[in-house]
Amino acid sequence: MLLPEFDFHEPTTVSKVCEIMGRLREKARPLAGGTDLVVNMKKKLIRPENVVSLAKIDDLKGIVLKNGILTIGACVTAAELAESDAVVKTFDALAEGARVLGSPLVRNLATIAGNVVSARPAADLPPPLMACGARAVLVKASGERSVDLNHFFSGPGKTVMDSSEILTKIFIEVPQGRYGSSYIKLGVRQTLEISLVNVAAFISLDGPGGSIGKVRIVLGSVGPTPIRAKSAEEVLRGQLPSDALLARAAEAASADAQPIDDFRGSAEYRRDMVGVLTRRALTAALDRATSR
């Protein structure tokens, strides 16, 4: 399939790309890895008059862990996330999400910004990012703002971003003390699969052998956007960990899910799998928190 005709822009600074996006707005689409944009253009699902490449903007690259903040540039690829010592050291869930995103070829192209901004309900990176407390930095010509990813998605393919904004980086505050995170994905096949269900979990403990402090559980592919399992989090918060407690939380997460029937699986099956995956993700996150 051939791409439709468009004008190509290749700025080298954030300020220049903001100027272009501010001038062209809905007529332009930013291009990072292109694994979503180019495919949708070939399918004629979208026909932007202008494509603005971010590939030559050095400020959008790199992973930095400094002063308790993990900062990830918008153009960092899934492969770079999966292999980053800083990411693995701080947030296992994010590294796990990156490792199961598509094929090796896709992981070498797909960027963290693209996976987030595309707002696909089954995307692999939003749930672990949300579970770990990530924020996105959005920039346009008139200034910048940071948005908690828990409030970033408004529907399938939709976000709170203005058409003149670009996502420049994602940052996550690294917790102190004992904490752990985990991400688990279920698909019909083991590789190259869109999630039937995915679950990310984050747990912090109030000291050795202590009760559960902060907890975040995010469900993917079972709603129009990634869903916080608030009922499950309430079951866990302030309690001493136990197998029975995790089982109750997993049951509550199943009730929080909003799955639908489609050709890849029934809503009933997805809801059941939410419980199974939530318990596994919580167990892994708790084990990491205990051993940290």
Side-chain angles (χ1 to χ4, degrees):
M1 292 181 285
L2 296 176
L3 288 168
E5 291 187 0
F6 57 87
D7 290 332
F8 186 72
H9 307 262
E10 200 169 30
T12 57
T13 65
V14 171
S15 60
K16 184 60 178 176
V17 74
C18 288
E19 183 272 320
I20 295 171
M21 294 300 298
R23 174 164 45 87
L24 299 176
R25 299 184 69 85
E26 289 86 358
K27 296 179 180 180
R29 289 292 182 97
L31 171 69
T35 53
D36 280 309
L37 178 64
V38 173
V39 170
N40 287 331
M41 288 174 65
K42 285 183 176 181
K43 291 180 178 179
K44 307 299 189 290
L45 297 176
I46 55 175
R47 293 172 175 264
E49 297 177 26
N50 299 267
V51 172
V52 186
S53 173
L54 308 180
K56 291 190 175 181
I57 304 177
D58 291 338
D59 288 343
L60 302 184
K61 301 173 184 178
I63 301 170
V64 177
L65 177 58
K66 184 177 180 181
N67 298 327
I69 304 276
L70 179 68
T71 303
I72 305 166
C75 289
V76 168
T77 66
E80 290 169 332
L81 283 174
E83 296 167 1
S84 167
D85 290 338
V87 173
V88 173
K89 176 182 176 181
T90 52
F91 297 107
D92 295 273
L94 182 53
E96 288 168 339
R99 290 186 195 118
V100 296
L101 194 160
S103 66
L105 176 60
V106 170
R107 289 193 290 275
N108 281 320
L109 291 172
T111 63
I112 189 169
N115 199 251
V116 169
V117 171
S118 64
R120 291 182 291 109
D124 286 299
L125 298 184
L129 286 168
M130 290 168 62
C132 294
R135 298 183 69 89
V137 176
L138 308 179
V139 179
K140 59 183 178 179
S142 59
E144 72 174 47
R145 59 178 174 142
S146 74
V147 179
D148 185 334
L149 282 191
N150 285 278
H151 308 300
F152 184 79
F153 305 100
S154 55
K158 298 179 180 179
T159 73
V160 299
M161 291 182 67
D162 181 85
S163 60
S164 62
E165 288 180 314
I166 64 164
L167 193 161
T168 59
K169 62 185 175 183
I170 286 173
F171 68 91
I172 317 173
E173 293 187 20
V174 180
Q176 299 295 312
R178 297 177 180 270
Y179 72 94
S181 64
S182 178
Y183 174 77
I184 300 178
K185 169 182 179 175
L186 174 67
V188 175
R189 299 172 298 181
Q190 290 186 336
T191 58
L192 297 173
E193 183 58 287
I194 298 172
S195 297
L196 280 169
V197 177
N198 59 52
V199 177
F202 171 91
I203 286 179
S204 68
L205 299 176
D206 295 331
S211 59
I212 295 171
K214 291 182 179 179
V215 56
R216 289 184 289 268
I217 302 168
V218 184
L219 315 176
S221 204
V222 289
T225 66
I227 298 170
R228 282 283 293 275
K230 297 286 184 70
S231 300
E233 294 172 4
E234 283 300 316
V235 169
L236 295 167
R237 194 172 291 113
Q239 303 298 311
L240 289 173
S242 68
D243 289 342
L245 181 70
L246 298 189
R248 287 190 5 240
E251 185 176 347
S254 294
D256 286 334
Q258 302 169 16
I260 60 171
D261 294 313
D262 66 16
F263 68 94
R264 293 184 298 116
S266 69
E268 181 181 7
Y269 175 72
R270 282 188 164 100
R271 194 179 296 279
D272 287 343
M273 290 303 100
V274 165
V276 173
L277 267 62
T278 297
R279 186 166 184 175
R280 291 178 183 175
L282 286 170
T283 299
L286 180 60
D287 287 345
R288 289 164 177 165
T290 303
S291 61
R292 183 174 292 277

